[in-house]
């Protein structure tokens, strides 16, 4: 604990009656010793430990509640649970990508999510259970879970590992079974600890990987690739130190499952207390084909994070991405025809790029009908010691953007993102000690927003319009529809808004071709790709526990989507439901198909 944290807690105690926005600003005033901001979980953890000591008042649950009102995690009423796959070779050779041998490709052992995964031996069951437990103990609702599976290239892992990994995630959710009974929580947690120790033993006897980060750091220090001098690649070393021992010791036998084992856990999850309301995987565009799209859907996924990085063939080539823009176009078309939400990773400041090229490229992302994604992560390139980019930097071939340049490109992306897209992250939150040179500010979105506002530039992406904790007047809520076309569909973005804020939305896709080239059962159907109702908003005069989800926005949006689809000549409305939302749609007269649900209209 630092003096800075103590001062922050004292200030929070004294200003507890102020609006949440003021408290959030106050939190941003304080920093960890490394200059980064305190995250909310550590503030709550320290407060629980320190309340009643060091000049702090007695523990006041209101303070925890107030911090939990912060918009980032609770705005949607959905608990995001991020899990990482094990270190594994990646088909990509991208020069900017970190080569941290303790991690799946592209992740860094110092990132908070990565640390959690390492402590849990990258075991999916342990990761999900521990995360649910942590979120629950901080007071979050954990009945609706968005499972975000990160690490390298998902589709490059063996099929049996993919099935096992997701089966274990579902099993963890199904076993958790916690509502709000504190005795039950304690009992569950004790059982879980036992389970953890058993799995821990299994790992310790079978691999040299420890759940102790310091120990791992020491073990791997000598092996770790240094980008300036790469003699062996990440793939070579990971094969040597993970895959070969795993094969020899039979870990692979333990990390596999059949489709029917997965389907049994999925079926349980349909009515479990902790349900998957979304499942996300990440991959590369050249891994997308008809077969992989079907498989991803069969696993239960509803969204795909696709690293496209650039829409300039020359930049893709220079950065050794291993695919061109034509491949990205094809991946978009296939995923969109299967109804997936498209979450794109876009990078700036790549080798061979410039602010002008980045702006042109970013504009293309929305001007060109082949793209037009639903969500975006904008990651200007950071220089990491283990990346091959170090060689380019040393030779003076690449350098990071200045603060001004970074500001120009990030503000441009913020102000050129249409209202149907959400920028989920701007600047990857890399721990500052891992960045060799360049920007270390993780609050760059805020800086870029201030810059855009100062220059009177308008932002309309979903995230900048979310209602969050703001009140609204029901009579003044409007339904608006934004139409836009893609090369394979006419998209309708239906949104309930209050003033300039968004309360709920639905993504409706009307395919241009009646016959679906990717998924047979979707032929002739319009498609709901996403429904999102924000959870914490309150109507003026309503009780504090009444949320936007209870105003029937979801139902009204489905009815409108059905009417639009019918008027456009469709006889069926499909939905790419998550495993845990199937019941919701059944109650609204949708019937189960093979991989989707359908409403006769
Ligand atoms: S595909 Fe992704 S994970 Fe693989 S090397 Fe390229 S950036 Fe890294």
């Amino acid at each position: 604990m630092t003096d800075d944290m103590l001062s922050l807690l004292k200030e929070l105690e004294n200003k507890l009656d102020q609006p949440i926005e003021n408290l959030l600003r106050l939190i941003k005033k304080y920093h960890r010793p490394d200059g980064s901001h305190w995250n909310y979980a550590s503030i709550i953890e320290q407060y629980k430990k320190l309340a009643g000591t060091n000049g702090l008042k007695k523990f006041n649950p209101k303070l925890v509640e107030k911090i939990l009102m912060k918009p980032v995690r609770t705005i949607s009423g959905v608990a995001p649970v991020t899990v990482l796959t094990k270190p594994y070779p990646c088909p990509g050779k991208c020069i900017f990508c970190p080569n941290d041998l303790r991690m799946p490709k592209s992740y860094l052992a110092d990132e908070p999510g990565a640390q959690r995964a390492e402590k849990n031996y990258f075991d999916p069951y342990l990761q999900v259970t521990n995360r649910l437990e942590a979120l629950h103990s901080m007071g979050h609702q954990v009945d609706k879970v968005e499972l975000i599976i990160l690490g390298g290239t998902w589709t490059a892992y063996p099929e049996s590992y993919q099935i096992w990994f997701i089966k274990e995630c579902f099993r963890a959710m199904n076993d958790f079974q916690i509502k709000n009974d504190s005795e039950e929580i304690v009992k569950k947690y004790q059982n879980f600890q036992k389970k953890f120790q058993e799995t821990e033993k299994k790992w310790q006897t079978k691999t040299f990987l420890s759940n102790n980060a310091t120990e791992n750091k020491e073990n791997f220090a000598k092996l770790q690739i240094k980008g300036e001098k790469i003699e062996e690649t990440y793939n070579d070393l990971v094969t040597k130190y993970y895959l070969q021992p795993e094969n020899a010791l039979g870990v692979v036998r333990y990390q596999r499952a059949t489709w029917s084992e997965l389907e049994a856990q999925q079926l349980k999850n349909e009515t479990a207390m902790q349900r998957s309301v979304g499942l996300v995987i990440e991959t590369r565009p050249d891994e997308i084909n008809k077969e992989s799209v079907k498989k991803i859907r069969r696993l239960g996924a509803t969204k795909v994070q696709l690293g496209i990085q650039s829409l300039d063939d020359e930049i893709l080539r220079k950065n050794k991405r291993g695919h061109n823009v034509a491949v990205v176009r094809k991946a978009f078309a296939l995923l969109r025809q299967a109804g997936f939400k498209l979450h794109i990773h876009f990078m700036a400041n790549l080798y061979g790029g410039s602010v002008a090229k980045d702006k042109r490229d970013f504009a293309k992302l929305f001007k060109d009908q082949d793209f037009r994604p639903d969500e975006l992560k904008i990651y200007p390139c950071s220089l990491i010691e283990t990346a091959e980019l170090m060689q380019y930097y040393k030779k003076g071939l690449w350098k990071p953007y200045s603060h001004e340049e970074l500001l120009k490109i990030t503000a441009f992306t913020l102000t050129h993102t249409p209202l149907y897209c959400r920028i989920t992250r701007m600047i990857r939150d890399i721990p500052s000690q891992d960045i060799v040179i360049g920007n270390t500010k993780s609050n760059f979105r805020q800086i870029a927003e201030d810059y855009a506002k100062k220059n009177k530039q308008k932002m309309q992406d979903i995230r900048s319009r979310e209602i969050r904790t703001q009140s609204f007047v029901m009579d003044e809520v409007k339904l608006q529809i934004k139409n836009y076309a893609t090369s394979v569909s006419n998209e309708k973005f239906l949104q309930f808004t209050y003033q300039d804020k968004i309360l709920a939305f639905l993504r409706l896709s009307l395919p241009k071709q009646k016959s679906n080239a990717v998924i047979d059962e979707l032929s002739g159907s319009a498609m709901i790709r996403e429904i999102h109702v924000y959870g914490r908003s309150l109507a003026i005069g309503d009780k504090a526990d009444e949320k936007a989800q209870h105003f029937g926005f979801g139902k009204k949006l489905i009815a409108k989507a059905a009417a639009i689809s019918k008027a456009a000549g469709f006889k069926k409305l499909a939905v790419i439901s998550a495993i845990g939302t199937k019941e919701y749609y059944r109650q609204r007269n949708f019937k189960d198909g093979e991989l989707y649900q359908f409403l006769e209209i």
Side-chain angles (χ1 to χ4, degrees), residues 252-320:
V252 179
R253 274 203 302 280
Y254 146 70
Q255 292 181 338
R256 69 193 314 164
T258 61
W259 283 105
S260 55
E261 284 169 323
L262 167 65
E263 281 152 13
Q265 291 298 333
Q266 287 177 330
L267 189 65
K268 266 194 183 176
N269 193 254
E270 288 180 14
T271 50
M273 281 186 206
Q274 275 66 47
R275 293 185 202 176
S276 156
V277 298
L279 197 157
V280 190
I281 59 105
E282 65 174 341
T283 190
R284 292 165 49 87
D286 55 357
E287 288 277 313
I288 297 297
N289 53 52
K290 281 188 197 175
E291 285 63 43
S292 63
V293 169
K294 276 187 213 151
K295 200 198 295 172
I296 293 166
R297 178 63 194 139
R298 195 171 169 198
L299 289 166
T302 52
K303 190 192 292 181
V304 174
Q305 291 201 21
L306 199 64
I308 64 164
Q309 322 309 1
S310 170
L311 289 176
D312 181 320
D313 276 337
E314 180 64 8
I315 293 179
L316 290 174
R317 191 187 58 74
K318 281 190 160 167
N319 288 271
K320 302 190 185 167

